[in-house]
């Protein structure tokens, strides 16, 4: 008996175009990883690129770590649906607060002080700046606990888009993305990540512009699309501040100011080359954010034009909207070439952020926890430290991929996992922003104040987690109900609360002031030789 050959579903035109593009993309990523092997021989080279990374690579590394597929598929769809065109303010806030001000306020001082102290990670900075190994251990624990679910959330948004184009299971996409990202990070470390971030950033810039143009043309141009949105969704969705200005403000603050306290973002300033690179990087990073973030949220603002299609596809049921389906629905009728570009765009956005997060996680755990424990018996060589970091990269990539796959299958109904992903950003930013920012500028910050910020930031978000999963109920509790309305609100209060508490607690706990504070700030007073173009002095 002859066994019939199983029928293979015909590939869509978009898939036929996307496959060679993806093959070239993957080959280039791996080639960069292998080419950067020489930079990964030392700890400083593997983690920081030898502190000699130029403005373009640093700016694109900052931007691509900032904006992932979660923003393009998830946030753009959700907030564009909720606020309309006013959601563009979120992208502009990301550009001017999360990028321009972050570079201006943190860039130079972070580079100078971290080099002066010899710190390579954020927890290491807390130890050396505040003379406390306990603070380093606690900070490392916070990074580990909250960065892993945040890393796993990066795979969100890939499922529906790739399934529509290739008809492949979600877990296949996750495994491919995780394995390829792990390979080039393991071989090339930070330098491979930075170069690939630059390439991926170019793809993101070109892709988002192409998508916006295509969607507007599909709806008769900008003016006609705005007019149709006002008629179909209501004039508030085309107004300057949208339907809920207060909620919009909280979204802008969390997604913009929050980057100031995220270890994977601040870490980019550790490696930048020189003063000129900081000035150029500030401009490049801001323009990148305007185009990518501003473009994503602007695009999402037109989501309600596709409400009928969303309902027909079953993505709106009983008033509940599947926000991750908004952007894929908008892209459904675009040309195959545009869809293929979008596939590469989304993958590039996810891989760039994933590489930054796993490198941050592995370096923190290795340098701040494992290496000190091993070195109690005998010194750890540079080669062994790099090897340990590479092993932890494998661990973190595998763990985040496993959580993402389980979240989509076995844990699909788990409110805890979903909410844990949601509170991660707020917990990290709430714990670290104030002590890091003040630590760069103010000599009077105490150890007790830093510990207070850690407890307050993570504690507030753990309460938010308990409320979100139904363990606590504060809906009728006035201000508490307002603060814990969702993880965006509590995340903003965690950051602002830290900025208020740290100087207040410092004034009351002078006995815990670190020693040799003047020496820690001495790096800012060092004499350097500068060219006339950089300094008239």
């Amino acid at each position: 008996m002859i066994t019939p050959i199983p029928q293979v579903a015909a590939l869509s035109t978009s898939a036929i175009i996307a496959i060679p593009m993806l093959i070239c993309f993957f080959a280039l990523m791996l080639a960069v990883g292998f080419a950067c092997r020489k930079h990964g021989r030392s700890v400083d080279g593997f983690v920081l690129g030898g502190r000699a990374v130029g403005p373009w690579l640093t700016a694109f590394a900052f931007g691509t770590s900032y904006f992932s597929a979660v923003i393009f598929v998830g946030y753009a769809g959700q907030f564009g649906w909720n606020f309309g065109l006013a959601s563009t303010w979120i992208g502009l806030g990301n550009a001017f607060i999360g990028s321009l001000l972050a570079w201006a306020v943190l860039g130079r001082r972070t580079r100078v002080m971290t080099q002066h102290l010899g710190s390579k990670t954020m927890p290491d900075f807390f130890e050396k700046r505040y003379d406390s190994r306990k603070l380093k251990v606690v900070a490392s624990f916070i990074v580990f606990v909250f960065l892993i679910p945040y890393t796993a959330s990066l795979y969100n948004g890939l499922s529906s888009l790739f399934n529509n184009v290739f008809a492949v299971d979600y877990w296949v996409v996750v495994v491919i993305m995780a394995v390829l990202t792990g390979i080039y990070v393991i071989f090339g470390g930070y330098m491979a990540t930075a170069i690939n971030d630059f390439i991926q950033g170019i793809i993101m810039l070109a892709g988002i512009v192409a998508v916006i143009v295509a969607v507007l043309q599909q709806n008769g141009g900008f003016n006609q699309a705005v007019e149709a949105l006002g008629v179909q969704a209501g004039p508030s969705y085309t107004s300057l501040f949208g339907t809920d200005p207060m909620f919009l403000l909280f979204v802008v603050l969390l997604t913009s100011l929050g980057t100031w306290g995220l270890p994977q973002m601040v870490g980019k300033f550790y490696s930048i080359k020189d003063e000129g690179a900081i000035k150029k990087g500030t401009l490049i990073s801001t323009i990148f954010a305007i185009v990518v973030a501003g473009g994503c949220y602007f695009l999402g603002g037109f989501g309600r034009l596709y409400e009928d299609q969303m309902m027909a596809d079953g993505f709106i049921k009983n008033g509940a909207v599947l926000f991750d389906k908004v952007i894929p629905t908008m892209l459904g009728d675009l040309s195959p070439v545009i869809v293929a570009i979008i596939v590469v765009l989304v993958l590039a956005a996810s891989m760039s952020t994933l590489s930054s997060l796993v490198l941050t996680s592995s370096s923190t755990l290795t340098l701040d926890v494992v290496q000190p424990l091993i070195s109690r018996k005998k010194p750890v060589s540079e080669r062994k430290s790099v090897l340990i970091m590479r092993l932890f990269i494998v661990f973190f990539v595998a763990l985040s991929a496993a959580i993402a796959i389980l979240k989509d299958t076995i844990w699909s109904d788990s409110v805890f996992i979903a909410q844990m992903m949601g509170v991660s950003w707020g917990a990290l930013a709430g714990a670290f922003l104030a002590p890091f920012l003040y630590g760069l500028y103010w000599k009077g910050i105490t150890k007790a104040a830093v510990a207070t910020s850690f407890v307050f930031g993570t504690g507030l978000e753990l309460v938010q987690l308990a409320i979100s999963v139904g363990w606590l109920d504060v809906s009728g509790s006035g201000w508490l109900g307002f603060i814990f309305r969702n993880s965006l609100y509590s995340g903003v209060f965690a950051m602002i609360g830290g900025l208020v508490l740290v100087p207040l607690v410092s004034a009351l706990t002078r006995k815990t002031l670190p020693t040799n504070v003047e020496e820690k700030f001495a790096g800012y007073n060092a004499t350097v030789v500068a060219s006339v173009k950089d300094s008239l002095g």
Side-chain angles (χ1 to χ4, degrees):
M1 180 177 178
I2 300 175
T3 303
I5 299 174
Q7 295 294 316
V8 179
L11 290 173
S12 65
T13 305
S14 299
I16 294 172
I17 297 173
I19 286 174
M21 294 173 65
L22 288 174
I23 291 174
C24 293
F25 173 73
F26 292 147
L28 186 57
M29 298 299 103
L30 295 177
V32 169
F34 285 110
C36 292
R37 284 177 295 173
K38 64 180 180 180
H39 295 283
R41 294 170 184 169
S42 67
V43 171
D44 203 54
F46 191 82
V47 178
L48 301 174
R51 297 187 191 264
V53 185
W56 284 91
L57 293 184
T58 304
F60 271 69
F62 186 90
T64 54
S65 297
Y66 196 166
F67 310 117
S68 68
V70 176
I71 289 180
F72 180 74
V73 178
Y75 281 3
Q78 177 182 350
F79 297 128
W81 188 275
N82 290 333
F83 302 127
L85 294 182
S87 63
T88 307
W89 285 111
I90 304 172
L92 295 178
N94 294 170
F96 294 108
I97 300 174
S99 295
L100 177 63
L101 274 181
W103 277 75
V105 175
L106 300 178
R108 184 180 180 278
R109 282 195 166 249
T110 298
R111 173 66 172 81
V112 172
M113 181 171 278
T114 56
Q115 183 175 25
H116 178 68
L117 297 178
S119 64
K120 297 179 176 65
T121 66
M122 184 176 277
D124 190 35
F125 170 83
F126 289 131
E127 179 190 31
K128 293 177 178 176
R129 168 64 180 84
Y130 297 109
D131 291 336
S132 174
R133 188 173 184 277
K134 291 181 180 179
L135 288 177
K136 180 175 76 169
V137 173
V138 173
S140 300
F141 181 74
I142 294 172
V143 170
F144 176 77
V145 170
F146 290 100
L147 211 55
I148 289 300
Y150 178 44
T151 304
S153 71
L154 296 178
Y155 301 98
N156 290 349
L158 294 175
S159 177
S160 57
L161 185 60
F162 275 77
N163 189 265
N164 289 346
V165 176
F166 298 105
V168 296
D169 291 334
Y170 175 58
W171 71 267
V172 176
V173 180
V174 171
V175 170
I176 292 174
M177 174 179 156
V179 169
L180 292 171
T181 304
I183 289 174
Y184 77 71
V185 177
I186 287 168
F187 277 99
Y190 182 82
M191 188 58 73
T193 299
I195 294 174
N196 278 334
D197 284 349
F198 179 76
I199 297 169
Q200 291 157 350
I202 295 295
I203 295 171
M204 291 167 67
L205 286 170
I208 193 62
V209 171
V211 173
I212 291 173
V213 171
V215 169
L216 290 179
Q217 287 180 342
Q218 186 184 56
N219 289 278
F222 174 73
N223 291 332
Q224 190 169 333
V226 172
E227 183 178 346
L229 180 64
V231 172
Q232 182 166 330
S236 60
Y237 288 90
T238 59
S239 64
L240 186 62
F241 296 113
T243 58
D244 191 346
M246 178 63 73
F247 189 22
L248 178 62
L249 175 62
F250 274 80
V251 175
V252 171
L253 288 175
L254 181 65
T255 61
S256 302
L257 191 61
T259 61
W260 295 33
L262 298 181
Q264 74 274 15
M265 301 298 298
V266 174
K268 301 297 183 289
F269 299 134
Y270 286 42
S271 60
I272 199 164
K273 186 177 181 180
D274 52 31
E275 189 81 26
I278 293 174
K279 295 176 182 177
K280 294 176 183 176
T282 304
L283 178 62
I284 297 166
S285 179
T286 304
I287 295 173
F288 182 89
I290 291 173
V291 176
V292 174
C296 283
Y297 288 109
F298 173 75
L299 175 68
F302 292 99
R304 285 182 179 262
L305 290 176
Y306 299 81
E307 186 171 359
D308 292 340
Q309 185 63 49
M310 290 276 291
M311 294 183 69
D313 292 338
F315 300 147
I316 301 178
K317 295 180 179 179
N318 301 321
V321 181
L322 298 178
F323 293 117
D324 283 352
K325 302 294 185 181
V326 175
I327 297 298
T329 300
M330 295 176 68
L331 308 177
D333 294 328
L334 298 182
S335 72
V337 174
I338 296 296
V339 174
I341 291 174
I342 293 167
V343 168
V344 181
L345 181 161
V346 170
L347 199 63
S350 296
M351 291 178 67
S352 59
T353 308
L354 177 63
S355 63
S356 176
L357 291 175
V358 297
L359 185 59
T360 299
S361 301
S362 64
S363 60
T364 295
L365 200 58
T366 301
L367 300 179
D368 301 330
V369 179
V370 177
Q371 184 173 295
L373 291 175
I374 298 176
S375 61
R376 289 180 178 180
K377 296 181 178 179
K378 62 178 180 179
V380 181
S381 66
E382 292 267 313
R383 185 176 179 180
K384 188 172 183 179
S385 294
V386 172
L387 175 61
I388 294 172
M389 275 188 280
R390 285 175 167 146
L391 292 175
F392 274 119
I393 287 173
V394 175
F395 170 73
F396 282 117
V397 168
L399 182 59
S400 63
I403 293 174
I405 293 171
L406 291 172
K407 170 65 177 67
D408 191 64
T409 54
I410 299 174
W411 298 339
S412 58
D413 296 326
S414 174
V415 178
F416 181 84
I417 297 297
Q419 294 302 325
M420 186 65 180
M421 292 175 175
V423 305
S424 295
W425 179 296
L428 290 164
F432 296 149
L433 188 154
F436 186 82
L437 173 62
Y438 287 131
L440 296 175
Y441 282 88
W442 190 10
K443 300 175 183 178
I445 301 300
T446 64
K447 302 175 189 178
V450 178
T452 301
S453 182
F454 287 179
V455 173
F456 180 78
T458 56
L460 205 65
E461 289 307 293
L462 289 175
V463 172
Q464 176 68 66
L465 180 63
I467 293 170
S468 299
V469 300
W471 297 341
L472 291 176
D473 183 10
V474 296
S475 56
S477 303
W479 272 100
L480 280 179
F482 180 75
I483 292 173
F484 295 107
R485 175 178 172 181
N486 54 47
S487 59
L488 290 169
Y489 275 63
S490 59
V492 171
F493 278 104
M495 292 188 298
I496 295 175
L499 291 172
V500 174
L501 284 173
V502 167
L504 180 62
V505 174
S506 293
L508 300 174
T509 57
R510 306 310 295 168
K511 292 182 179 180
T512 62
L513 191 68
T515 58
N516 301 321
V517 176
E518 293 296 333
E519 193 280 328
K520 292 177 174 62
F521 278 76
Y524 295 142
N525 301 319
T527 302
V528 296
V529 178
S531 61
V532 174
K533 69 177 182 179
D534 293 325
S535 173
L536 295 177

